[in-house]
Amino acid sequence: MPKNAWLGAVVAGLAATTLTAVAPASAQPIALDDRTTVAGTVPSWATPQSRTGDAPDQSVRQIQVALSLRDPASAHALATGLASPNNAERGSFLTSRQFVDRFAPAESTVASVRDWLTGQGVSVEGVSGNRFMVKAHAPTSVLEKTFGTQLATYRDKVAGRVSTLVAPVAPISVPARLKASITAVLGLDDSEKSLRPQHTIPHATTQAQTCARWWGEQNNRDVPQKYPAGAQSNSLCGYTGPSVRAMYGLNAGQSGTGTTIGIVGAYDSTTLAADVNRAAVDTKTPGLAAGQYSKVLPEGGFADEKECDAGGWKFEQTLDVQAAHTIAPAAQLRYYAGKSCIGGLYEAFNKAVEDNVVDVISASWGNADGERRMPPATRDLFNQMALQASIQGQSIMVSSGDAGNNSGAVGTPTASFPATSPYVTAVGGTTVGLGQDNKPKVLTGWENSGNTLSGQHWVPQSDADGPFSGGAGGGPSALYDAPEWQQGVVPASIAGGRRAIPDVSALADSYTGLLIGFTDASGRYGLSSSGGTSLAAPLMAGLAADAQQARGGAQRGGLLTPALYALRSDTSALVDVVPQKAGVWTPVMHALPGAKVPGAEGSYLVDFDARPQNLASGRGWDPVTGVGTPARDFVRALAR
């Protein structure tokens, strides 16, 4: 593939925003002589077969009208130069003002779009600081007239559950004079309902009676020993801070001093600071200092809390903050809250980028049903935001997913977005069994297989994707070509010249997870071993902050993937993860999005990294752990 071919593909996606309109019979009539359609604005799930009716005319919808970059080709070229380890431009990042002046939509463009929307009866609420999005709202009937389409309801599965979703029946259209300005309209469809936090759901306290504090401390010998001595253990109780820091060779001085970590999610746990400080005693980590944690909440409060499972998002927020704080206990922490899971996450992510206050951004969420779930124009908007972050020097860590290749939920293997974006570091997962001395007894890729005890035999569990019971997302993108830094590294037999994920990995298996303290909706506080690539992403964010501290605190890392791939042969920086025959006994199976497991208490054995789908770790780059997992000198090496 020609050098930087991946840039051309992404530029084409951002720049090719309109086509000549031909109205289908199902759409409302539009004037073809002065309007043009915006390509990629109908999600793949909005099919005639799944349509159930029309969206209510008077229901009010919040929208974000996305505007295009000026000179996207130059922006992509600059981002590449800033990230390349051998480029003279590396590290010469722009301020947010410099980025806006050079690449953001012109103020005259924003004014034209605002005037047009207002003239159509759409209420404009404001414009984002980087001029990427115009926030507005209007009844469905007004939006249909404004964008020359019809909104309908559809039945489809989201993360395995049947839901009713709204989407346009045909591509939206805009005045021809705005052809080059409007790239997408978020909120006209419900695709963002598929965005889910990527963590293990906290479960019964039964496990606390049998769990091991370190690998092998407890091992139920009343059940068949599938693995030899030292390779089978009870599920771990959850690692404390010192153990996880030892896992990555961190010393007391590596604390993220002088850096700020941003966390993007939905909703807000009002007990977060108290939970972190309460858990600090049990997890042997520092509490939060005065003013160390701050949050940016949406105007007007939150919405759709029941529909979006706000409690799950609040636990995600708590997990992310505690994980990042464990690795970088002196870093400032700033949480950006989305108004809901429907239209709020992209807005919160954009706020973290436009503010340009945080050095590293952790996004522990992704499409529960693969990268094609979002309309192409919406994915292009995320890439545009991530591009700005790269040019400003902000590093983005994204969870690769917890459903392996997603075949259980989707039916066929598919990677998850936004992990496949070329402008993020996709973080996969590992299973790590530390001994009492905090040295690894087990280190392998996180791809779990479940077994149920029947008599004196372990019987593999079976559902849509066999015994799979949770594991890191991975595999080739169907949308993006391989970036330069993956060419010659990712085997063609796996990716076929496409962007492949993950890039790197960190602790993710909840059976060997991090001990997290959380107060639920009923006011009950509890500690549980938690995991998922939702844990791996903020752990990597903390390590990136430690590396920035090692550069002096002010020099950001930007897009880290080129540097990570350059370290792949440095065994002091990265461990090349390979399968290891080992497993844990547990009285309860851990629930994860995209993986079906028994819900009742029983006697279960979880096999590690035994290829339950088509993913497993292996020599060199692999679709579970990427180029590997951080070793003892990772921070020092990344800081170079």
Side-chain angles (χ1 to χ4, degrees), residues 482-490 498-503 565 621:
E484 180 183 353
W485 29 269
Q486 282 198 324
Q487 295 170 26
V489 178
V490 177
R498 295 288 191 170
R499 162 80 164 119
I501 63 170
D503 298 306
Y565 280 71
W621 183 94

Side-chain angles (χ1 to χ4, degrees), residues 140-341:
T140 294
S141 58
V142 173
L143 295 174
E144 289 177 327
K145 177 177 178 292
T146 300
F147 295 105
T149 190
Q150 183 179 357
L151 300 185
T153 56
Y154 299 85
R155 285 181 67 80
D156 195 44
K157 283 187 176 181
V158 177
R161 298 180 182 178
V162 176
S163 299
T164 298
L165 309 172
V166 172
V169 300
I172 68 172
S173 66
V174 298
R177 61 187 172 83
L178 299 177
K179 174 180 180 179
S181 302
I182 296 176
T183 63
V185 181
L186 277 68
L188 290 182
D189 70 83
D190 289 340
S191 291
E192 282 193 82
K193 284 185 178 180
S194 69
L195 293 175
R196 290 288 190 271
Q198 306 292 319
H199 65 246
T200 306
I201 300 169
H203 46 82
T205 57
T206 309
Q207 187 175 355
Q209 302 168 12
T210 60
C211 65
R213 289 175 295 175
W214 57 83
W215 183 263
E217 187 227 3
Q218 300 288 335
N219 181 27
N220 184 358
R221 295 195 173 276
D222 293 332
V223 301
Q225 300 297 291
K226 184 174 182 178
Y227 298 102
Q232 187 164 318
S233 171
N234 285 11
S235 178
L236 300 190
C237 304
Y239 289 123
T240 61
S243 292
V244 175
R245 289 180 62 81
M247 192 180 294
Y248 300 114
L250 298 177
N251 60 47
Q254 293 169 315
S255 61
T257 299
T259 69
T260 304
I261 299 172
I263 292 162
V264 177
Y267 307 106
D268 176 49
S269 170
T270 57
T271 63
L272 183 140
D275 287 346
V276 172
N277 290 333
R278 185 172 179 179
V281 177
D282 293 304
T283 61
K284 300 178 176 63
T285 55
L288 292 169
Q292 186 177 8
Y293 172 75
S294 61
K295 52 190 177 183
V296 179
L297 304 181
E299 295 181 4
F302 299 102
D304 309 309
E305 295 188 64
K306 183 177 181 179
E307 186 174 6
C308 292
D309 181 22
W313 284 101
K314 292 174 183 179
F315 179 80
E316 179 62 55
Q317 173 191 1
T318 306
L319 169 62
D320 290 357
V321 169
Q322 290 190 35
H325 184 60
T326 296
I327 298 296
Q332 293 290 307
L333 298 161
R334 191 171 179 87
Y335 175 64
Y336 288 86
K339 185 181 185 71
S340 89
C341 71

Side-chain angles (χ1 to χ4, degrees), residues 461-489:
Q461 296 161 9
S462 181
D463 53 40
D465 52 1
F468 178 74
S469 60
S477 169
L479 305 172
Y480 306 111
D481 288 337
E484 180 183 353
W485 29 269
Q486 282 198 324
Q487 295 170 26
V489 178

Side-chain angles (χ1 to χ4, degrees), residues 358-408:
V358 300
D359 305 304
V360 186
I361 299 173
S362 180
S364 290
W365 39 267
N367 287 98
D369 300 318
E371 68 180 349
R372 291 189 181 276
R373 187 76 188 181
M374 284 284 181
T378 304
R379 292 193 300 265
D380 289 342
L381 173 61
F382 180 91
N383 284 331
Q384 182 171 301
M385 294 185 291
L387 171 61
Q388 178 180 351
S390 298
I391 291 174
Q392 294 174 169
Q394 294 173 296
S395 304
I396 304 171
M397 306 296 174
V398 174
S399 302
S400 72
D402 293 347
N405 65 15
N406 288 313
S407 59

Side-chain angles (χ1 to χ4, degrees), residues 124-143:
V124 175
E125 300 173 23
V127 180
S128 63
N130 56 6
R131 304 182 200 147
F132 279 8
M133 294 190 286
V134 178
K135 187 176 182 179
H137 68 271
T140 294
S141 58
V142 173
L143 295 174

